[in-house]
Amino acid sequence: MQVVVVGAGIVGCSVAYECAKAGAKVTLLEAGRVAGATSSISFAWTNATTKFPRAYYDLNVAGMRAHLELRRDFGTTPWFTQTGSVEWRNRAEDQPAYLENFRQMKEWGYGIEWISRETLARMEPEVNIAGIGEGPISYFPEEGWVDPALYCAWLLRAAKERWGAEVLEFSRVTVIESEGGKVRRVRLADGRNFAADAVVNCTGGWADASLGDAQGIPLESTIGVLGFTSPVALTLRSQLHADDLDIRPDGAGRIMIHKISVDATMKGPEPLATDSPQAAELLRSAREVLPALEAVELEALRSTVRPYPADGFTCAGAMPGLEGHYMAVTHSGVTISPYLGRAVADEVVRGEWHADLDAFRPDRFFQNPSPVAQMSEA
Ligand SMILES: Cc1cc2nc3c(=O)[nH]c(=O)nc-3n(C[C@H](O)[C@H](O)[C@H](O)COP(=O)(O)OP(=O)(O)OC[C@H]3O[C@@H](n4cnc5c(N)ncnc54)[C@H](O)[C@@H]3O)c2cc1C
């Protein structure tokens, strides 16, 4: 079976790896560089906390497990760090939702516990404990983060060396051609074409584009911004989540900073200077949590599209109207990808249906009412 995967972000690389492993002849076509788009500008936190409804939580938990299971394939997973997360809310008005999330996560069996200020001070002595409000502090030992570019590199190397997958960068797909209502071939902007029994669309924030006979899905993407400090001598190991601020180590002493209210200032994925108001706000917020950042500036800011299918949930499954055209697009893509890749390979290559994806099928965008919207209301 010839499977063409379009897009080599973390989703496409996972799908290509798993389809090749399942026995398909795989060609992965990427318009730019492997992991050159959203996947390399991601906070990349593996988690299922606050992921509602239950089916979406379960999908994220399956992704977290699949990250651990990849160790069996590789013996080592140098792209994955599992040092846990710490979270708190400073504002009194945010406490009810924070406490309710703790209760629900605990009931669903998620790794979550309260820790004291003394414990946090021992774990992470550089955190400004006095700056944390009155509310309780939660700890998530099973959470971690991924270096998506490394992840993609390792999976694609294995897909090529073990199963002969072909990976072509700078190869933009413009048309998916069909015959008799079935996918037949994929044509590139430069005129090359590739025969296909199945095409898996993993184009993330570009998945709303029609490619010849293949339609896209509606997206409501947003913009995300990350700040990176210059190297700083800190021993910080955990991820820190305080209100809408996220902080974590990013290797070689650099600290990565993300803040949702900074994302909200963006109209598009524009270049941002290290002396922009967004940089100042990221640093100001992070310094309140880590006073050692007082002497440090941002080395870089990066912004990109966060790919959200129009209802905010993962979209995975056969597209209506064109046999052999499959969609795999999601936010939380770093968390979900290793599981999504496996599930797509089961469905496309092995012909094994994944009932846990039923709430996330693309046809919900082409019918009314959407099953996942009904679940959210329940
Ligand atoms: C700031 C920020 C923070 C985030 N934090 C988290 C987090 O903490 N945890 C988490 O799980 N997720 C997080 N996400 C979301 C996560 O990063 C994404 O869900 C994930 O990276 C999407 O991967 P992808 O492979 O679908 O997209 P991409 O990495 O964008 O890959 C899609 C690829 O398709 C290619 N392409 C597009 N059109 C074509 C075409 N016609 N032909 C060939 N190639 C094409 C593009 O060039 C691109 O390389 C975050 C995102 C951002 C921006």
Side-chain angles (χ1 to χ4, degrees), residues 6-12 29-33 37-39 41-45 47 171-173 202-204 206 211 224-226 258 304-307 330-335:
V6 186
I10 195 163
V11 174
L29 300 170
E30 164 55 49
R33 286 181 298 110
T38 300
S39 297
I41 311 180
S42 176
F43 196 79
W45 163 28
N47 75 91
S171 299
R172 175 178 298 282
V173 173
C202 303
T203 58
W206 294 268
L211 298 171
V225 179
L226 296 180
H258 171 247
T304 189
V305 168
R306 306 178 76 128
T330 184
H331 187 65
S332 299
V334 173
T335 303

Side-chain angles (χ1 to χ4, degrees), residues 92-217:
E93 64 267 33
D94 294 337
Q95 291 296 331
Y98 173 69
L99 295 175
E100 171 53 19
N101 180 63
F102 185 97
R103 188 203 63 74
Q104 185 62 86
M105 292 297 121
K106 197 84 182 159
E107 190 182 300
W108 286 349
Y110 196 60
I112 185 170
E113 58 200 74
W114 296 125
I115 57 170
S116 66
R117 281 163 169 65
E118 294 71 31
T119 302
L120 177 57
R122 264 197 313 278
M123 283 168 59
E124 303 293 356
E126 287 120 347
V127 170
N128 176 23
I129 304 289
I132 297 177
E134 297 301 309
I137 301 169
S138 47
Y139 176 56
F140 303 80
E142 295 166 9
E143 295 181 353
W145 72 86
V146 171
D147 180 334
L150 263 190
Y151 171 103
C152 291
W154 277 75
L155 266 65
L156 292 188
R157 176 177 164 183
K160 287 188 277 190
E161 289 178 354
R162 298 179 193 170
W163 305 297
E166 189 179 20
V167 178
L168 299 174
E169 295 184 302
F170 304 104
S171 299
R172 175 178 298 282
V173 173
T174 48
V175 173
I176 297 173
E177 289 177 359
S178 65
E179 280 167 23
K182 203 174 172 324
V183 158
R184 283 291 171 232
R185 72 188 67 76
V186 166
R187 198 172 292 283
L188 303 190
D190 61 14
R192 281 177 292 162
N193 63 77
F194 297 83
D197 300 307
V199 177
V200 187
N201 186 325
C202 303
T203 58
W206 294 268
D208 52 351
S210 290
L211 298 171
D213 296 337
Q215 62 184 335
I217 56 161

